[in-house]
Amino acid sequence: MVLTIAAAIFVFGLLVLVHELGHFATAKLTGMRVDEFAIGFGPKLVSVKKGETVYSIRAVPLGGFNDIAGMDPSQNDAGDRGYCEKPVYKRMIVILAGSFMNFVLPVFLFFGIFFFAGVGTPNPEPILGQVMADKPAAQAGLQNGDRVIAVDGHPISSWKEFVTETSKLDAGKPAAFTVQRGEETVTAQVTPTYDQNGKRSVIGVMSDVKMTYPGLFESMGMAVQRTGQIIYAMIDALYKILLELSGADLAGPIGVAQMAGQVAQLGIVPLLNFTAFLSLNLGIINLFPIPALDGGHFAGLCVEAVRGKPMGEKAMYYLQITGITLLVLLMLLATKNDIVRVFMGG
């Protein structure tokens, strides 16, 4: 429980910090007055004022905000330093900077993982890299490092052949696995189980992994490539979800916190990978043209750029109400999914 809370605070805190830092830095660079830079919502836990800006940490670590003067034109007391008084292109930069930072963060995280922790590539040899505890292979006595020679009498010379032959076995029926362990040959009777997701028989093992350590520039190139691949996969997945109008896979703060705790148990590298994945997800979602999200604000600025003047207050009010209502409904759906998944085992 403690690890889950700590991991959730780390993940949420880093994502919010980076996102809001994008808005903050560009607001300052474009000459806007920022009255407060806050991580979290609710009552202030810690705050300090430096120059004209109050920097605070608040009680609920599920978001953050920048209080930029002039966001509401009727309450602008900053003159030409108010948000509303700046040219449209400068306001666009400030609005998009949060999501931009969420795309930049994974590049640095992946770079650190590749450069310092290395890159693992599956070993094509039929060597058991990890025998999972309490799974059929472990129960039968197979061990990490065993080289598979034969599966149910069929000779094995590669990991691909091993996976193919294992998947053909009948779940619940013992099969002979012959392995080379050091100088001796060992035969174990393993009873496979059926994997519903993969639709095949499995025994609970993973391949051996060869670690390579790319250099500085190679690591950076790989980080950019990995980030691009994930963005493409996420957009494709979101497109399919929208086509099917299904919210079954949505997860809210409870679900994300639970996943962060589970990933943290595997180590710092999986947690950083999870953080990078979540950062890209946040960056993409925030660009949706929904009022109350950054993408909605950007769409409004595009309309203003075309019209030559902002939308009317009444139109803005109804758009904001619509956006907030939609976000609340999505959050309720995600929370329902979290409750079913976490507390009811669904």
Side-chain angles (χ1 to χ4, degrees):
M1 186 65 177
V2 174
L3 181 61
T4 296
I5 294 173
I9 291 174
F10 168 77
V11 172
F12 284 126
L14 181 59
L15 296 188
V16 171
L17 174 64
V18 167
H19 183 90
E20 296 302 332
L21 194 59
H23 294 312
F24 174 80
T26 50
K28 288 283 192 180
L29 288 172
T30 53
M32 299 178 190
R33 193 186 80 198
V34 183
D35 294 328
E36 184 176 358
F37 175 84
I39 300 300
F41 296 111
K44 292 179 183 177
L45 298 179
V46 180
S47 67
V48 59
K49 186 170 185 179
K50 186 174 181 181
E52 62 188 9
T53 305
V54 174
Y55 301 86
S56 66
I57 297 177
R58 294 176 175 249
V60 184
L62 297 179
F65 64 89
N66 281 279
D67 184 6
I68 303 174
M71 290 293 288
D72 182 350
S74 64
Q75 298 182 11
N76 180 32
D77 61 352
D80 61 1
R81 294 191 62 207
Y83 173 87
C84 59
E85 295 296 323
K86 295 298 179 181
V88 171
Y89 80 91
K90 289 189 176 181
R91 283 178 276 155
M92 285 180 170
I93 290 172
V94 173
I95 291 299
L96 293 179
S99 288
F100 174 77
M101 290 296 287
N102 284 127
F103 292 125
V104 170
L105 174 63
V107 174
F108 283 94
L109 291 177
F110 286 135
F111 166 77
I113 292 169
F114 296 150
F115 186 72
F116 294 104
V119 180
T121 55
N123 189 343
E125 302 281 331
I127 298 173
L128 305 184
Q130 181 181 356
V131 178
M132 290 175 260
D134 300 322
K135 298 296 182 181
Q139 293 169 348
L142 295 183
Q143 299 176 8
N144 296 350
D146 286 349
R147 173 184 285 271
V148 182
I149 299 173
V151 172
D152 211 23
H154 297 279
I156 300 297
S157 60
S158 69
W159 183 261
K160 184 177 180 180
E161 288 183 0
F162 167 73
V163 172
T164 300
E165 292 300 327
T166 301
S167 64
K168 292 179 182 177
L169 299 174
D170 295 325
K173 182 180 178 181
F177 281 68
T178 305
V179 301
Q180 188 74 36
R181 184 179 299 160
E183 299 297 323
E184 62 176 329
T185 300
V186 178
T187 298
Q189 296 295 319
V190 184
T191 304
T193 57
Y194 189 72
D195 177 29
Q196 291 289 346
N197 294 325
K199 306 297 181 185
R200 62 187 178 86
S201 295
V202 296
I203 63 171
V205 297
M206 296 176 67
S207 68
D208 186 35
V209 174
K210 288 184 176 180
M211 297 301 298
T212 57
Y213 294 87
L216 184 71
F217 295 108
E218 187 181 0
S219 294
M220 183 57 72
M222 291 172 66
V224 173
Q225 183 181 30
R226 173 69 64 85
T227 300
Q229 289 171 341
I230 295 175
I231 290 174
Y232 176 82
M234 281 184 173
I235 293 174
D236 183 58
L238 285 170
Y239 174 71
K240 290 175 181 176
I241 289 173
L242 290 173
L243 283 181
E244 296 172 1
L245 295 178
S246 171
D249 294 328
L250 285 175
I254 298 174
V256 173
Q258 184 197 34
M259 287 185 277
Q262 292 171 344
V263 172
Q265 293 177 1
L266 302 176
I268 185 63
V269 170
L271 184 60
L272 292 178
N273 268 300
F274 178 73
T275 304
F277 181 88
L278 211 60
S279 183
L280 292 173
N281 190 66
L282 176 62
I284 293 171
I285 296 297
N286 245 300
L287 290 178
F288 277 22
I290 299 174
L293 292 181
D294 291 345
H297 287 297
F298 180 74
L301 290 172
C302 289
V303 172
E304 180 181 340
V306 173
R307 295 177 74 232
K309 61 180 181 179
M311 286 188 290
E313 289 186 16
K314 195 171 183 179
M316 286 296 296
Y317 171 77
Y318 285 116
L319 284 173
Q320 291 288 347
I321 291 297
T322 302
I324 291 171
T325 301
L326 181 58
L327 289 177
V328 169
L329 289 174
L330 287 173
M331 184 58 70
L332 288 174
L333 176 58
T335 303
K336 185 270 292 182
N337 289 346
D338 288 347
I339 293 171
V340 171
R341 196 178 293 121
V342 176
F343 299 107
M344 299 181 185

